[in-house]
Amino acid sequence: MKEADYYISNPDGTVVCMLCPHQCKINEDICGRCRSRMNRGGHLYSLAYAHICAMHVDPVEKKPLLHFLPGETCFSLASAGCNLLCLNCQNWSVSQVSPVDIPSQTLLPEDCARLAKKYGCRAVAYTYTEPLTYLEYVRDCASACQEAGLKNILVTAGYVNEKPLRDLLPFIDAVNIDLKSFSDEAYRKVCRARLQPVLDTLLRMHKAGVWIEITRLLIPGISDGEDDIRAMCHWLVEHGLADNPLHISRFFPRYKMQEIEATPLSSLVSARRIAQEEGMRFVYIGNTSLADAENTHCPDCGNLLVKREGYTVLSEGFSGVCPVCGAKIPGVWTF
């Protein structure tokens, strides 16, 4: 175990974790909601630090990131734990458990950069579970990777306090934020969390200059309402995020939401239309095989810029400028 940052020790032996908005008050030998930060002797320790439960080489498109180094691969890793309790979690077997309850292997930050380079990756992604629950490890890995000339990608639900986030952001190049709904009620019902801290995280990342892409899962009857989608997109446009890609993602029955049917394709197409009407300029549809769902077009002239099939980029070499009309397309297109 490694002593965590971001906590307060109380005279009665309890600690208050200050990493995320839950601010769990934790008794001796107990973990907080994320299951990965434990009170030992009045000090908070990260059970997740350098204990990796998943490690793969992925295309960046799988994160999903479509305006960030298309066609590149990233070294993806995760430790167990999450500070949300989403009823629909597709990675529940590693996110809804403690790092001590599942097999893991040790990977020190300096080894993370070395392995990424060994496997030919030019970026490292902290993903699969909730990397903000082991933020100290992500920060140390990202620092080592930055020194080695690698890019750092964060895939997160964005539920974190301001100080820890600010300490991490100088090392992060790109992020995909899972904005699960624009309803605080839905956040409380499905995730046992709140909406506002996620919006605060989005704005702080945007201000810091991190490349942001946003995923919105449409759960039938919960997060697929037209008013909710319009309100979310209106907020994003109003706060300067109109040029950041929005991924409308299809829901499939998972974990504790087995009784809900998969999102109808018509709902996904409708949501994209609504997002575009509200001013979002790059709207994609994920988790489907719909034609043209994840191709990048110039929003000014409609020219096809990047053609994709699944996670494969079929037209490489795009430099960020439309060859037809000269429009500059926001993103990080070259290393």
Side-chain angles (χ1 to χ4, degrees):
M1 295 189 297
K2 182 178 177 67
E3 186 169 4
D5 298 328
Y6 318 112
Y7 74 94
I8 298 170
S9 294
N10 293 324
D12 63 359
T14 64
V15 301
V16 178
C17 179
M18 300 301 293
L19 180 66
C20 89
H22 292 312
Q23 295 187 187
C24 298
K25 185 177 181 180
I26 308 172
N27 293 321
E28 175 77 16
D29 293 331
I30 299 295
C31 289
R33 290 196 194 192
C34 66
R35 305 175 181 85
S36 66
R37 301 169 80 82
M38 176 179 281
N39 178 356
R40 284 287 179 88
H43 296 271
L44 189 66
Y45 288 87
S46 171
L47 304 180
Y49 193 97
H51 293 293
I52 301 305
C53 66
M55 187 175 1
H56 302 281
V57 173
D58 291 325
V60 295
E61 287 76 14
K62 192 175 181 180
K63 297 302 102 185
L65 291 172
L66 299 187
H67 287 218
F68 186 82
L69 304 178
E72 291 285 351
T73 57
C74 53
F75 182 62
S76 299
L77 55 88
S79 185
C82 184
N83 54 352
L84 272 60
L85 302 174
C86 299
L87 300 177
N88 61 297
C89 184
Q90 64 177 2
N91 291 329
W92 61 270
S93 62
V94 290
S95 70
Q96 301 300 308
V97 297
S98 170
V100 301
D101 293 334
I102 59 173
S104 65
Q105 55 186 306
T106 300
L107 183 70
L108 297 175
E110 56 269 27
D111 294 326
C112 175
R114 178 182 57 80
L115 277 182
K117 289 197 165 187
K118 175 182 176 181
Y119 292 122
C121 300
R122 303 178 76 181
V124 173
Y126 312 94
T127 179
Y128 304 135
T129 57
E130 178 45 77
L132 294 177
T133 61
Y134 44 97
L135 184 144
E136 297 91 347
Y137 177 65
V138 172
R139 184 192 61 211
D140 292 350
C141 283
S143 176
C145 290
Q146 188 178 81
E147 289 181 8
L150 301 169
K151 300 295 186 183
N152 288 294
I153 296 167
L154 191 68
V155 183
T156 176
Y159 209 66
V160 65
N161 284 338
E162 181 177 4
K163 175 61 165 64
L165 180 64
R166 286 187 173 177
D167 290 346
L168 176 63
L169 286 182
F171 306 105
I172 300 300
D173 299 286
V175 61
N176 187 291
I177 289 242
D178 193 3
L179 184 51
K180 299 173 184 294
S181 173
F182 209 68
S183 161
D184 193 67
E185 180 183 357
Y187 258 90
R188 291 176 185 273
K189 178 180 179 181
V190 177
C191 311
R192 304 298 188 267
R194 294 178 288 119
L195 170 62
Q196 189 59 50
V198 182
L199 301 181
D200 293 341
T201 293
L202 267 169
L203 295 181
R204 287 165 185 151
M205 289 180 165
H206 183 53
K207 184 177 181 180
V210 176
W211 177 250
I212 299 170
E213 303 197 15
I214 300 152
T215 293
R216 170 61 184 267
L217 183 70
L218 295 191
I219 304 176
I222 295 176
S223 61
D224 63 341
E226 177 176 337
D227 290 346
D228 189 274
I229 296 167
R230 284 196 185 278
M232 177 191 73
C233 294
H234 179 80
W235 185 91
L236 291 171
V237 172
E238 186 179 45
H239 289 85
L241 293 159
D243 284 339
N244 293 82
L246 173 63
H247 302 260
I248 304 293
S249 188
R250 192 182 191 193
F251 165 85
F252 289 97
R254 292 290 186 272
Y255 193 37
K256 296 181 179 180
M257 281 191 167
Q258 299 284 341
E259 75 288 355
I260 299 179
E261 298 291 332
T263 315
L265 296 180
S266 59
S267 296
L268 301 167
V269 174
S270 176
R272 177 167 62 178
R273 173 185 56 78
I274 292 167
Q276 291 169 336
E277 289 174 355
E278 291 297 324
M280 297 299 293
R281 284 158 49 88
F282 301 96
V283 187
Y284 301 98
I285 299 177
N287 282 351
T288 77
S289 57
L290 287 173
D292 207 33
E294 294 191 303
N295 292 335
T296 299
H297 293 265
C298 175
D300 291 349
C301 71
N303 180 44
L304 177 61
L305 302 172
V306 183
K307 183 176 177 60
R308 302 179 179 88
E309 187 174 292
Y311 299 130
T312 303
V313 177
L314 300 180
S315 54
E316 298 183 357
F318 177 63
S319 62
V321 177
C322 177
V324 173
C325 71
K328 293 183 179 180
I329 309 302
V332 180
W333 300 101
T334 58
F335 201 89

